[in-house]
Amino acid sequence: MPVRRFILCLLAALALPLIASAQPIEVELRQTDSGWRLLRGGEPFRVHGAGGLEQLDLLAASGGNSIRTWGVGDDTLELLDEAHAHGIAVTLGIWIQHERHGFDYRDFEAVAQQFEMVREAVLAYKDHPAVLMWGIGNEMEGYEEGSDPAIWSHIEACAALVKRLDPHHPTMTVIAEIGGRKVEAINRLCPSIDVIGINSYGGAPSVPERYAALESGKPYIVTEFGPLGPWEIGRTTYGAAEEATSTQKAEMYRNAYAAIDADRVNGLGSYAFLWGSKVEATTTWFGMLLADGSKVNTVDAMAQCWSGELPDDLCPAIEPLSITSDRTTDPGGEVRVELVASDPEGGELTAQWMLTADAMNYVTGGDVIAEPPSYPDLVGECDTTGCAITLPERPGVYRLFVVVKDAAGNAATANVPLHVASNEPIASDEIDLPAVVYAESDDTMPWTPSGFMGTTDAISMDPACTEQPHAGDTCLQVGYSANGEWGGVVWQSPVDDWGDEEGGYDLSGARVLEFWARGESGGEVVNFGFGILGADKPFPDSHKGELEGVELTTEWRQYTIAIPADADLRRIKTGFFWSLAGQGEPVTFYLDDIAFRSQATED
């Protein structure tokens, strides 16, 4: 048994008699003249924590006093025991299902079963002395308005149940940012929720000011903060998100923490994300630890924030990778990357390099994605000054990673996205602009709306609807009859092809995709775009564009997806798509005059 594991087991074993006989530690929420306060065992307790389950000894040594989890499982008791042995309090999460994963809050049996799951979790762990509070759900309200009363009524029922079963610990529910009517919904529909948890990344430093303006009446904890999310930053011309280095991320953590911690009126503290490793957007975007357990610069930053002092042995400093050649190459092209890194203590460094495909999946809603394939045979002569690589033959987006370590195993990370373009004609057909995707007067539209996705039996499309068209006599009516789950349709070339056949159209010269849309009732939230076939397909789209979370009105409105001048448009196989998550009731919306154009038209 490794020494560290033996020590943890010994600590837990020594604590077992105490845990078995101990009463829960009373946690009280108190509003004072100067603001909200959390008391644990009668003593003031401000949350200096992180989300995650790993290396609790390192967390405690860094000055952290709490962890946050997202659900309970077979190892929850072991985790609570270990946390208690290290003096760490736990916000114990209870996972509440998401509609985007197919859960229906109007399904009696499903909701009743979830309610019973909450009961069982609270009864199982409510008396453990490590428990700080209950986290009932995480972003189950979705990412837009977030005011569905069916969801919030269920959260209130669960919170009221928790308070009846466990009067010793506060209740919290966690939302994705504070836009829309989310905070209002909790205030009005969830009186049994004591604390509002807020997941915020780019907006974390401004949470105190924005939350105060809402006049909530409840305190908050920032339950996730960290680097800018991949949904919050610009993209390269080939659609790749640029990830900050771990050194740059450390500064983002410091800035966010300082702003959050300064709020002693409404704020109770914060949880940094993520005390562990995770494949989300990339293999390194959010993790404060690597998959092998090594810490990166963000751990040092949080140790300084929590304890007021930097660790004795710091992670290496690393600068953004510098490309001495073009980031876009022909298939099999060569790229030289320069690395600048240093050890604060002046020690020797090592560098590990890895080339992978890029998943091009940057908005996952927190879902774990599959680790992309790697290409070790294409990594050439590499060291702590740089690396020479050969890119794959298949066109697409790839990412070169480097992990720099000192003698103690402390790490720093950086990566850069690279692009392989085809040097051959890749579209089977040329097409004149404007290229019409849908219009009443065009009977020879090049793409076919054949790619039905998600809950396909809930989708209907009427291309000859006469209900208040934008222009002419008809428009396209789209219906989605399911209350939950998700659905969508892709316009394809060839018909029914998902990237396994040649085809598509050369749209070189196009600068915009324009379309008109309106909702039946207003408030319908829909995603629109083109180019969904990635580098994992034999015949991918050569470019992509998207408008996420468009909230429609009852009036026709023109929407535009801008296309960079240097975009590769030689093969666009999926000329348009729409997708949406179930919104608690049937959704109907309308589309008209969808076309790629060389320049934007007047509204």
Side-chain angles (χ1 to χ4, degrees):
M1 177 182 293
V3 173
R4 175 182 169 273
R5 186 62 181 167
F6 172 79
I7 294 173
L8 290 177
C9 290
L10 179 60
L11 286 170
L14 291 173
L16 278 178
L18 174 63
I19 293 170
S21 60
Q23 296 295 315
I25 297 177
E26 187 88 21
V27 180
E28 178 188 355
L29 192 61
R30 181 180 299 174
Q31 189 173 22
T32 71
D33 292 339
S34 57
W36 287 98
R37 299 292 180 263
L38 202 62
L39 303 178
R40 184 170 186 253
E43 297 295 326
F45 186 94
R46 186 163 182 85
V47 175
H48 302 300
L53 315 175
E54 302 177 22
Q55 296 196 45
L56 302 190
D57 53 345
L58 176 60
L59 181 78
S62 300
N65 64 6
S66 183
I67 60 169
R68 175 199 170 208
T69 73
W70 287 262
V72 298
D74 294 340
D75 59 350
T76 296
L77 182 57
E78 180 182 357
L79 173 68
L80 291 170
D81 289 347
E82 183 180 351
H84 187 63
H86 287 294
I88 292 172
V90 180
T91 288
L92 196 55
I94 301 177
W95 184 258
I96 300 297
Q97 295 293 333
H98 294 198
E99 286 188 324
R100 68 186 181 86
H101 294 149
F103 192 84
D104 185 356
Y105 278 89
R106 287 145 187 84
D107 183 327
F108 178 88
E109 288 300 328
V111 171
Q113 290 175 16
Q114 183 160 260
F115 187 78
E116 287 305 309
M117 179 273 295
V118 173
R119 182 195 305 275
E120 293 171 4
V122 174
L123 290 174
Y125 305 112
K126 66 184 181 68
D127 294 328
H128 199 290
V131 174
L132 176 69
M133 67 178 68
W134 298 97
I136 306 170
N138 181 79
E139 300 185 355
M140 64 278 135
E141 83 288 353
Y143 306 114
E144 301 301 326
E145 191 73 5
S147 58
D148 186 345
I151 295 175
W152 294 117
S153 295
H154 181 60
I155 294 297
E156 167 57 20
C158 292
L161 171 67
V162 172
K163 294 181 82 67
R164 288 197 302 271
L165 298 176
D166 179 8
H168 303 296
H169 302 107
T171 58
M172 177 172 69
T173 192
V174 177
I175 55 178
E177 262 293 348
I178 57 175
R181 303 182 70 181
K182 300 180 182 187
V183 174
E184 178 188 0
I186 296 171
N187 286 331
R188 296 179 65 181
L189 302 178
C190 302
S192 300
I193 288 294
D194 300 314
V195 181
I196 298 178
I198 303 167
N199 293 343
S200 182
Y201 289 86
S206 65
V207 164
E209 180 180 359
R210 291 186 290 126
Y211 189 84
L214 296 175
E215 298 181 347
S216 167
K218 296 179 187 285
Y220 72 87
I221 295 174
V222 175
T223 38
E224 290 181 19
F225 73 92
L228 289 175
W231 61 89
E232 296 175 309
I233 62 173
R235 308 285 172 86
T236 66
T237 56
Y238 43 89
E242 299 267 18
E243 181 178 346
T245 69
S246 58
T247 299
Q248 292 171 322
K249 292 176 189 176
E251 196 61 27
M252 296 178 193
Y253 278 78
R254 287 190 183 95
N255 292 338
Y257 177 86
I260 297 164
D261 193 57
D263 184 2
R264 300 302 175 104
V265 176
N266 296 310
L268 301 174
S270 61
Y271 290 97
F273 187 85
L274 165 74
W275 198 266
S277 64
K278 181 183 184 183
V279 183
E280 182 182 350
T282 73
T283 56
T284 57
W285 201 291
F286 291 106
M288 301 170 72
L289 306 172
L290 300 183
D292 65 4
S294 303
K295 70 168 184 173
V296 297
N297 310 76
T298 50
V299 171
D300 291 344
M302 291 315 304
Q304 184 180 29
C305 291
W306 292 330
S307 69
E309 298 181 358
L310 283 169
D312 293 334
D313 192 357
L314 298 174
C315 295
I318 191 168
E319 296 183 13
L321 297 176
S322 175
I323 310 299
T324 60
S325 54
D326 197 324
R327 287 194 185 194
T328 296
T329 76
D330 292 333
E334 295 184 355
V335 172
R336 175 72 191 180
V337 180
E338 292 184 350
L339 167 65
V340 176
S342 60
D343 180 42
E345 291 77 41
E348 295 294 323
L349 298 177
T350 60
Q352 300 170 325
W353 296 84
M354 182 172 66
L355 178 67
T356 73
D358 194 293
M360 299 292 283
N361 186 5
Y362 302 130
V363 186
T364 67
D367 298 339
V368 177
I369 63 174
E371 190 163 347
S374 62
Y375 304 89
D377 295 341
L378 300 182
V379 178
E381 295 183 4
C382 302
D383 54 26
T384 56
T385 65
C387 186
I389 64 168
T390 302
L391 286 166
E393 294 290 334
R394 175 179 288 185
V397 179
Y398 300 85
R399 198 170 287 264
L400 179 65
F401 293 82
V402 64
V403 176
V404 176
K405 291 187 177 182
D406 63 15
N410 303 313
T413 65
N415 67 68
V416 62
L418 303 168
H419 180 224
V420 175
S422 174
N423 57 8
E424 300 176 358
I426 58 175
S428 58
D429 292 294
E430 296 183 357
I431 192 169
D432 294 331
L433 298 175
V436 175
V437 179
Y438 169 85
E440 175 184 19
S441 60
D442 197 318
D443 296 326
T444 59
M445 291 173 280
W447 295 276
T448 303
S450 53
F452 282 61
M453 307 181 294
T455 310
T456 57
D457 57 359
I459 299 171
S460 63
M461 300 237 296
D462 179 3
C465 174
T466 59
E467 182 73 23
Q468 300 178 20
H470 167 255
D473 297 325
T474 63
C475 60
L476 173 62
Q477 182 186 58
V478 180
Y480 183 74
S481 60
N483 292 336
E485 302 182 336
W486 73 281
V489 174
V490 181
W491 275 248
Q492 298 172 309
S493 171
V495 174
D496 295 324
D497 174 62
W498 294 94
D500 298 314
E501 301 178 23
E502 294 183 354
Y505 293 90
D506 187 341
L507 292 174
S508 297
R511 294 295 174 265
V512 294
L513 170 61
E514 294 182 335
F515 60 96
W516 289 80
R518 71 174 179 89
E520 176 73 22
S521 304
E524 299 87 351
V525 178
V526 190
N527 306 311
F528 300 103
F530 71 94
I532 68 168
L533 301 176
D536 58 325
K537 298 294 184 180
F539 300 97
D541 288 296
S542 59
H543 191 70
K544 64 186 294 186
E546 186 171 2
L547 294 178
E548 299 176 9
V550 174
E551 184 171 339
L552 302 177
T553 69
T554 56
E555 301 295 325
W556 284 104
R557 178 180 172 186
Q558 187 180 48
Y559 297 90
T560 301
I561 299 176
I563 301 173
D566 58 351
D568 183 356
L569 299 175
R570 288 177 294 168
R571 179 168 60 205
I572 302 301
K573 299 188 64 184
T574 55
F576 188 73
F577 73 83
W578 65 263
S579 67
L580 58 80
Q583 296 169 25
E585 59 185 2
V587 173
T588 300
F589 64 95
Y590 302 87
L591 296 167
D592 211 346
D593 294 338
I594 309 170
F596 290 90
R597 303 182 186 279
S598 58
Q599 61 183 11
T601 60
E602 296 294 329
D603 289 1

